[in-house]
């Protein structure tokens, strides 16, 4: 796994970390933490896998433009995450007040939606999907557990910092993919 792929996996973990923080701040009891982390990991796996599948189906038709699209998708996801982190707008805050399985799944879908876009990116840049998806699932589980723990202790400020960090990494990786495609070199 390259440094770029590791950064991508870590940045994807920051979103579920922020979701865990949100639920931790909301008061989710420790007895539900492992279940929540498993749910977030499973959703991360499904979203990333679907993105890779769609990307592989579209990749042949898009040809050389696929890498530029992948970079643009990461830029969009990154700028959205930066805006959410800086403006403090989080969709799952409303959902997180209830801690039944349906509410936790909805929070998981909201924080993992970017994994669909990143799955497209993985397919478009011809990266090996299996090890990266495995890393994403492991990082999602661990990041959720850390987010829940810190959320219970620190409060909402850490959530916004995690969102900003994830957004900055996505923007960096999007720019890197566009640059490497333009110059014909591979850094990821």
């Amino acid at each position: 796994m390259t440094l770029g792929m590791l950064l991508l996996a870590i940045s994807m973990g920051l979103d579920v970390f922020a979701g865990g923080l949100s639920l931790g701040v909301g008061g989710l009891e420790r007895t539900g933490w492992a279940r929540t982390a498993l749910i977030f990991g499973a959703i991360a796996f499904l979203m990333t896998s679907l993105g890779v599948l769609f990307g592989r189906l579209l990749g042949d038709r898009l040809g050389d433009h696929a890498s530029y699209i992948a970079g643009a998708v990461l830029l969009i996801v990154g700028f959205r995450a930066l805006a959410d982190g800086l403006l403090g707008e989080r969709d799952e805050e409303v959902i997180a007040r209830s801690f039944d399985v349906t509410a936790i799944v909805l929070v998981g879908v909201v924080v993992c939606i970017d994994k669909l876009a990143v799955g497209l990116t993985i397919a478009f840049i011809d990266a090996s999907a299996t090890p990266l998806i495995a890393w994403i699932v492991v990082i999602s589980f661990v990041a959720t557990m850390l987010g829940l723990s810190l959320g219970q202790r620190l409060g909402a400020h850490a959530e916004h910092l995690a969102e900003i960090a994830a957004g900055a990494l996505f923007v960096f990786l999007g720019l890197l993919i566009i640059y490497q495609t333009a110059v014909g070199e591979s850094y990821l």
Side-chain angles (χ1 to χ4, degrees):
M1 176 176 286
T2 66
L3 178 60
M5 289 292 119
L6 183 61
L7 286 175
L8 184 61
I10 290 170
S11 65
M12 291 180 64
L14 289 172
D15 283 348
V16 292
F17 176 75
L21 280 170
S22 177
L23 293 171
V25 167
L28 180 65
E29 293 187 22
R30 286 183 188 254
T31 57
W33 287 8
R35 178 190 65 186
T36 300
L38 286 171
I39 290 170
F40 280 18
I43 294 170
F45 170 78
L46 290 172
M47 293 293 223
T48 308
S49 298
L50 284 173
V52 169
L53 177 66
F54 293 142
R56 297 253 164 93
L57 293 173
L58 292 173
D60 293 336
R61 294 184 181 162
L62 297 175
D64 294 338
H65 302 293
S67 292
Y68 288 110
I69 293 169
V73 166
L74 282 180
L75 284 174
I76 292 167
V77 169
F79 284 127
R80 181 182 176 272
L82 282 171
D84 287 350
L86 292 171
L87 299 175
E89 298 175 10
R90 295 295 296 177
D91 297 332
E92 73 269 8
E93 287 179 10
V94 175
I95 301 168
R97 301 299 171 234
S98 163
F99 296 121
D100 63 354
V101 174
T102 303
I104 291 172
V105 167
L106 288 174
V107 171
V109 168
V110 168
V111 298
C112 290
I113 198 71
D114 63 332
K115 284 146 187 64
L116 184 66
V118 172
L120 285 168
T121 302
I122 293 167
F124 289 161
I125 62 173
D126 290 327
S128 178
T130 304
L132 187 56
I133 291 172
W135 270 106
I136 290 167
V137 170
V138 169
I139 288 171
S140 293
F141 180 87
V142 171
T144 302
M145 293 296 284
L146 288 172
L148 287 163
S149 178
L150 287 175
Q152 191 177 51
R153 293 183 185 122
L154 298 179
H157 296 297
E159 178 183 0
H160 297 297
L161 292 175
E163 192 69 26
I164 291 168
L169 277 172
F170 281 134
V171 167
F172 170 75
L173 291 169
L175 290 171
L176 183 62
I177 289 170
I178 291 170
Y179 174 76
Q180 78 179 14
T181 303
V183 299
E185 295 182 26
S186 180
Y187 302 109
L188 292 176

